[in-house]
Amino acid sequence: MKKLLFLLTMGVLSSLQILAQSFCRTPSVINFDTRHLIRQRSTEFTPATFALRVFFHVIRESNGTGGQSLENVQAAFEILNNDFNPHHIFFLWDGTIDYINNSALYNLPDESVFQLNSHYNGIDIYLYSDDPLGFGVASGVGSGTAFIVGGSFFKIPYPSYVTSHVVSHEMGHVLALFHTHHGTSVGERDEMTCAELVDGSNSAECGDFVTDTPADPNLNFDVSSVTYQWLGSGQDENGDDYNPDTRLIMSYTDIRCMSYFSEGQGERMRQAISVLPHLQSAQVSIQGPTIPCTSDVYNVGNLPNGFSVSWSWKNNSTIPITQNSPSTNQCTIANSNKAYIKNTLVATISKNNTVITSVEKEIDTGANFYGTYEQEAAVLGVGATVPACPPTAFHSGDTIVLSKGSHITLKSPKFVGANISRSGSLSGIWFHQDSIIDVYVQAQLPSGYTNSISSLPFPHSMTFTGTYPNNCEVFRFKLNLTDVIPLLPLSMQVTPSGTGYNITLQRSSPEEIAEADSEDNSLYNISDWNLTIVHSLSGKTVFDNRVAGVQKHVNTAGWMPGVYVVRAQIGDEVLTQKIFVAQ
C-alpha cells in the first residue's frame, strides 16, 4: 500500500511537481461495475432527500499535540453541507470529535487509519494537520465509507485542504463519483473505462459516466484561480477541442476554483445512496412498518444526539399521529379501523430549534398488492368502437382509465380471500370470484343518435376497496370510465407558460378536423382525460387528476428541480413527454 506523504528528501520542487499530477489518491479501479449497479432503480419508495451520519476523527501526536482545531472541523462539516444540500443530501454530526493520538500515523499517513474507531452506521472522516503536503484518499469509489484529508494545496497562499472543497471531493468518491477525467486521462484508464468524447455521444458509458459533465482530459491544476480558465489545451480522438468545467469539485482544478457538483452528479450520488448497502447503513431514516396495524411506533434510526424530531403527513390525512410517543423523537400511528393509507410520513429534524432537513417513509397499506386489467373490444352499432385493452399491470392506489361499454376483467391473486366493496357509479354489473373481478358496463345511447357519440349520462368513476379478515393490508383502486372515443390520431403538446407548463391534447390533424362534418365534431373533440406527472428520479407522483377540455395548465412553482414525465391517457391510448423544472 502506497504511503500518502511525500518524502521531503526529494526536495520541495520535486515534491510539488509530483503533487501537481495528483492530489487525490482514491483508487479509480473498481471491483464491481458501479455504473450499472447504481442505475438499478429501486422498486421500493425512493425518498427525495437523504440524510447521512458522519463521524470526525482528528489525528494528533502521541502526546495529544498537533492536529486540526474544533473550528476547522466545524468548517469542514459546513462545507460538506453547503456543497451537498443543493442536491438533497444532508449530513448529520453530533458535534463530538474522536482524537487518535498516534505519532506514527501523524507523521506518515496511511489508509490503515480506516481500521481505527470506524463505524458501520456512518461515514468516517479522518483529518490530518495542515503541516504535510496536501493529500486526500477515500476507501474506494462507491465501495467504502471512509476518507482522509490533510495538508495544504501546493500553490500560494497554500490553503488548507481540510477547510476547502477537497473534503467534498473525497466525499464524492464515497458516494460513487469518479474524477471528471476518469477514463479520459491516460493515468485513469483500465479495462472497464474508455475516453469520453467532447460531443458527449458516449458520456453515459465512458469517462465519469455522468452525462452533464464535459469531457475532461485532466486539468492537472493548470487553472487560473482568478479567471477560472483552463490554461492547457487538447483534443479528443475526433479532433474536437476539450472545454472542461474548471469549477466542478470532482476535477483536478485549482482547489480555489472548486464550486459545485453537476445535476447529473447529484442524481448519481442519490441513486448510489438508495441502492448500495453500506451507504444505506449510513442513512438517518425512518424506522417502522410500511403497513401500520392497529397501533405502531416509528422513530428516526441512526439519529445523532442533540437532534429533535417532529412528525407529519405529507398529504392531508385523517389518520392521527401522536408526537413523542411512546418516547422522545418517536411517534405512534393508530390505524385500528384498518383504513386505506397511501401517504408519506415525514420526520422533520431540527437542532437548537433550527430545521436541518426532513426524511420520509412511504406508508402504504396496499403495498403488496398487484394485478392486471384488460378490456374486450366492442362495436356499439353507431360507427364507434370500444378499443381493446390488453392485460396491463396495476397496483394499489392506481387509477385505471378505460372506455365505457364493454367487459372489463381485473385479475390478482390478492383478490383471493378479500372482502371487496365498490362505491361510485352504480351503472354496470360486477362480480368477484376468487382472483377475478368482472365488470360489465353497457353504453346506453340516447335515442336519435345515429352517426355520432355524445357524453353518456351516468357517472364515470367507481372505487374498489378490499380488506382481509386477519391482517391490516387494505387495497384500493379506481376505475375511471371515459366516453367512447374513435381511434383517431392523438397528439400532445407541452409548452412553458409562466410558472409552469400548458399541456394540450389534440385528436387528428387540423386539416382533418376542417374537413369533418361541422355537426359531428364530437368525433374529434376531447372532453375527458387523465393527466399524471411523475418525478423521474424519486418516482413520486406530483399530479394525477382528470382533466375536462383539451388543455391543462400545471403550476410547477415549489416543485423540486429535475426531470418529470408527463403522461396523458384516454382509454388505452397513452402519450408521454418529459419536462424539466429548474431550481
Side-chain angles (χ1 to χ4, degrees), residues 412-546:
S412 173
K414 305 298 290 187
F415 291 157
V416 178
N419 299 317
I420 300 175
S421 61
R422 190 190 77 171
S423 59
S425 170
L426 299 179
S427 295
I429 301 173
W430 71 284
F431 302 95
H432 167 220
Q433 184 175 2
D434 296 328
S435 62
I436 295 176
I437 294 177
D438 286 305
V439 182
Y440 296 86
V441 184
Q442 300 300 321
Q444 299 296 326
L445 294 179
S447 61
Y449 281 77
T450 57
N451 62 355
S452 65
I453 304 299
S454 182
S455 295
L456 301 182
F458 55 79
H460 290 228
S461 179
M462 56 183 73
T463 298
F464 290 86
T465 301
T467 60
Y468 300 93
N470 299 317
N471 65 39
C472 290
E473 186 180 0
V474 179
F475 62 82
R476 179 176 295 173
F477 58 90
K478 182 180 291 187
L479 191 59
N480 279 352
L481 303 173
T482 69
D483 295 335
V484 178
I485 300 176
L487 291 177
L488 299 176
L490 182 67
S491 63
M492 176 172 63
Q493 292 183 338
V494 181
T495 55
S497 176
T499 58
Y501 286 85
N502 285 334
I503 302 167
T504 306
L505 286 189
Q506 180 173 286
R507 188 169 288 284
S508 194
S509 66
E511 293 78 13
E512 288 175 305
I513 293 176
E515 295 174 359
D517 185 344
S518 60
E519 296 181 357
D520 195 17
N521 282 339
S522 60
L523 290 171
Y524 300 89
N525 291 340
I526 299 169
S527 60
D528 191 25
W529 51 290
N530 196 73
L531 173 62
T532 306
I533 304 177
V534 178
H535 185 239
S536 63
L537 176 60
S538 66
K540 295 181 64 176
T541 300
V542 296
F543 187 95
D544 185 11
N545 275 305
R546 300 295 298 169

Side-chain angles (χ1 to χ4, degrees), residues 543-560:
F543 187 95
D544 185 11
N545 275 305
R546 300 295 298 169
V547 176
V550 298
Q551 187 179 87
K552 175 67 177 179
H553 177 77
V554 178
N555 188 346
T556 61
W559 291 12
M560 63 183 295

Side-chain angles (χ1 to χ4, degrees), residues 41-116:
R41 292 294 304 278
S42 173
T43 57
E44 299 178 355
F45 171 71
T46 302
T49 298
F50 291 96
L52 300 171
R53 187 170 185 177
V54 296
F55 298 88
F56 280 97
H57 311 265
V58 170
I59 317 303
R60 302 189 300 191
E61 295 276 15
S62 294
N63 62 8
T65 62
Q68 293 292 337
S69 66
L70 171 62
E71 291 73 21
N72 283 356
V73 177
Q74 291 171 332
F77 179 66
E78 184 176 352
I79 289 169
L80 283 172
N81 274 304
N82 287 341
D83 288 341
F84 286 85
N85 289 176
H87 299 281
H88 308 286
I89 300 170
F90 291 77
F91 300 101
L92 301 184
W93 171 47
D94 64 7
T96 63
I97 299 173
D98 169 47
Y99 292 99
I100 300 175
N101 298 330
N102 186 318
S103 293
L105 279 174
Y106 181 84
N107 293 305
L108 196 61
D110 188 276
E111 290 114 313
S112 62
V113 74
F114 291 153
Q115 308 304 316
L116 298 179

Side-chain angles (χ1 to χ4, degrees), residues 68 72-73 75-76 79 127-130 149-151 160-164 167:
Q68 293 292 337
N72 283 356
V73 177
I79 289 169
L127 301 180
Y128 281 81
S129 71
D130 294 337
V149 173
S160 166
Y161 276 0
V162 169
T163 55
S164 75
V167 294

